[in-house]
């Protein structure tokens, strides 16, 4: 019954709106015709459904007639309700401006993801390893003798539990920066970023840390290296790479040779390497064997002035992805 009330309601609304009287309202006229065609189709659809179910009832009448009638009545009622809902949804869809979403499930999905991200940001954890959901994302990290700060936890690579300290993948962030920027950090945790030497020093000076270096070239080839006892000194020590010990991985080492080298930037360059290769790093007098903060190039070339790691292919091939993580 509700469906027929709905039909009468729409017909009444058509009459109330009136039909266009001039050519400028042609679109409105076509819209009304379309709606009337739709209503006619729904009525025919209901008639077909009723006919099919009537035949089914006649076919089964030799069985328990009362049960069949009751079940058929329920089915017809449910189908009518479904048809009514579809009709209403279609009418709403036709009236909705095209630039707005017509599927509320998509909107609900977006809202749910937004709430999940916000929940992660507000949730304070002691370490990415102890985070219970094991979902990669942003979290508030509680650190001894320091205020909590936002970090990105990587939970998929090499067993998870990693705090990402550097992330590059599209060249959208300029890494040719000064000492203060590298000290405090820059970029966005949802994109490319450098955590900041002060935070890296804080985390690595409290307890022994493992370092994971994950790299990928423009051909889709990926390699990694895991190091132990990774430690960065304080600012008064010029954020020296105090210690790093190679453990295992598919990536040939290009970092241990930088041990005991101080960090250099474009405005604090003791080696003149940054001025020559445009990459802030733990440079020695021989400059570098790895330069993951060098310029991001979008073409696959062998260039010392690029984001590269010599041990990836035994040459200074510029890379597509660089991610450094500690735990």
């Amino acid at each position: 019954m509700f469906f027929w009330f709905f039909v009468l309601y729409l017909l009444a609304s058509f009459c109330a709106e009136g039909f266009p009287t001039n050519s400028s309202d042609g679109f409105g006229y076509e819209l009304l015709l379309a709606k009337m065609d739709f209503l006619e189709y729904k009525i025919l659809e209901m008639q077909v459904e009723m006919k099919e179910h009537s035949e089914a009832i006649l076919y089964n009448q030799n069985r328990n007639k009362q049960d069949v009638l009751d079940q058929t009545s329920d089915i017809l009622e449910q189908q009518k309700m479904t048809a009514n809902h579809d009709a209403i949804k279609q009418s709403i869809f036709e009236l909705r401006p095209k630039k707005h979403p017509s599927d509320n499930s998509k909107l609900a999905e977006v809202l749910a993801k937004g709430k999940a991200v916000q929940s992660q940001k507000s949730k304070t954890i002691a370490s990415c390893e102890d985070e219970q959901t094991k979902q990669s994302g942003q979290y508030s990290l509680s650190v001894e003798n320091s205020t909590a700060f936002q970090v990105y936890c990587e939970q998929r690579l090499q067993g998870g539990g990693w705090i990402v300290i550097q992330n590059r993948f599209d060249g959208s962030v300029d890494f040719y920066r000064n000492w203060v920027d590298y000290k405090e950090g820059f970029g966005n945790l949802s994109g490319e970023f450098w955590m900041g030497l002060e935070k890296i020093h804080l985390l690595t000076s409290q307890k022994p840390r493992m370092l994971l270096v994950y790299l990928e070239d423009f051909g889709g080839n990926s390699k990694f290296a895991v190091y132990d006892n990774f430690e960065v000194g304080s600012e008064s020590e010029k954020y020296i790479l105090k210690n790093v010990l190679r453990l295992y991985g598919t990536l040939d080492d290009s970092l241990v040779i930088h041990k005991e080298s101080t960090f250099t930037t474009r405005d604090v360059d003791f080696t003149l390497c940054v001025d020559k290769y445009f990459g802030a790093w733990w440079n020695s007098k021989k400059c570098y064997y790895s330069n993951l903060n060098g310029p991001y190039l979008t073409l696959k070339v062998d260039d010392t002035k690029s984001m590269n790691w010599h041990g990836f292919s035994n040459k200074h091939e510029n890379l597509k992805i660089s991610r450094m993580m500690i735990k």
Side-chain angles (χ1 to χ4, degrees), residues 148-161:
F149 53 86
Q150 293 293 314
V151 299
Y152 189 96
C153 292
E154 169 57 58
Q155 302 288 21
R156 296 173 298 130
L157 296 174
Q158 294 299 306

Side-chain angles (χ1 to χ4, degrees), residues 263-279:
F263 202 84
T264 57
T265 61
R266 69 183 187 187
D267 58 334
V268 181
D269 187 3
F270 314 102
T271 62
L272 301 181
C273 295
V274 180
D275 184 57
K276 185 177 181 179
Y277 298 109
F278 311 114

Side-chain angles (χ1 to χ4, degrees), residues 198-312:
E198 193 61 29
K199 292 187 180 73
I200 297 173
H201 161 66
L202 176 65
L203 293 172
T204 60
S205 63
Q206 288 185 338
K207 61 183 71 175
R209 296 282 182 176
M210 297 175 67
L211 169 70
L212 170 62
V213 178
Y214 174 86
L215 303 175
E216 186 176 317
D217 66 12
F218 282 89
N221 303 304
S222 62
K223 296 183 180 182
F224 74 94
V226 176
Y227 294 86
D228 199 8
N229 295 329
F230 177 67
E231 182 180 357
V232 174
S234 65
E235 184 176 21
S236 63
E237 299 171 298
K238 298 181 176 60
Y239 297 117
I240 186 173
L241 182 56
K242 275 191 170 183
N243 200 6
V244 61
L245 176 65
R246 163 79 177 194
L247 284 183
Y248 61 90
T250 58
L251 186 65
D252 289 345
D253 174 55
S254 291
L255 184 62
V256 173
I257 195 170
H258 290 270
K259 181 181 174 181
E260 298 181 356
S261 296
T262 56
F263 202 84
T264 57
T265 61
R266 69 183 187 187
D267 58 334
V268 181
D269 187 3
F270 314 102
T271 62
L272 301 181
C273 295
V274 180
D275 184 57
K276 185 177 181 179
Y277 298 109
F278 311 114
W281 197 246
W282 292 280
N283 288 308
S284 64
K285 292 182 179 179
K286 294 182 180 180
C287 288
Y288 75 86
Y289 283 82
S290 55
N291 188 25
L292 296 184
N293 291 329
Y296 189 95
L297 306 181
T298 56
L299 297 176
K300 183 179 180 180
V301 293
D302 183 4
D303 194 337
T304 54
K305 298 182 180 66
S306 68
M307 180 182 78
N308 68 86
W309 180 284
H310 190 269
F312 189 91

Side-chain angles (χ1 to χ4, degrees), residues 119-186:
S119 176
Q120 287 180 347
K121 287 184 177 181
S122 61
K123 181 181 179 181
T124 301
I125 59 175
S127 71
C128 291
E129 295 175 87
D130 297 333
E131 198 283 312
Q132 296 298 312
T133 67
K134 302 302 178 184
Q135 293 183 350
S136 298
Q138 298 180 41
Y139 296 87
S140 178
L141 182 69
S142 176
V143 182
E144 186 178 354
N145 299 325
S146 177
T147 57
F149 53 86
Q150 293 293 314
V151 299
Y152 189 96
C153 292
E154 169 57 58
Q155 302 288 21
R156 296 173 298 130
L157 296 174
Q158 294 299 306
W162 301 96
I163 301 171
V164 181
I165 63 174
Q166 185 245 35
N167 190 35
R168 302 184 73 184
F169 55 89
D170 62 6
S172 59
V173 174
D174 180 15
F175 273 65
Y176 188 51
R177 294 175 177 255
N178 60 30
W179 183 266
V180 173
D181 287 343
Y182 271 95
K183 171 187 174 181
E184 298 178 353
F186 55 86

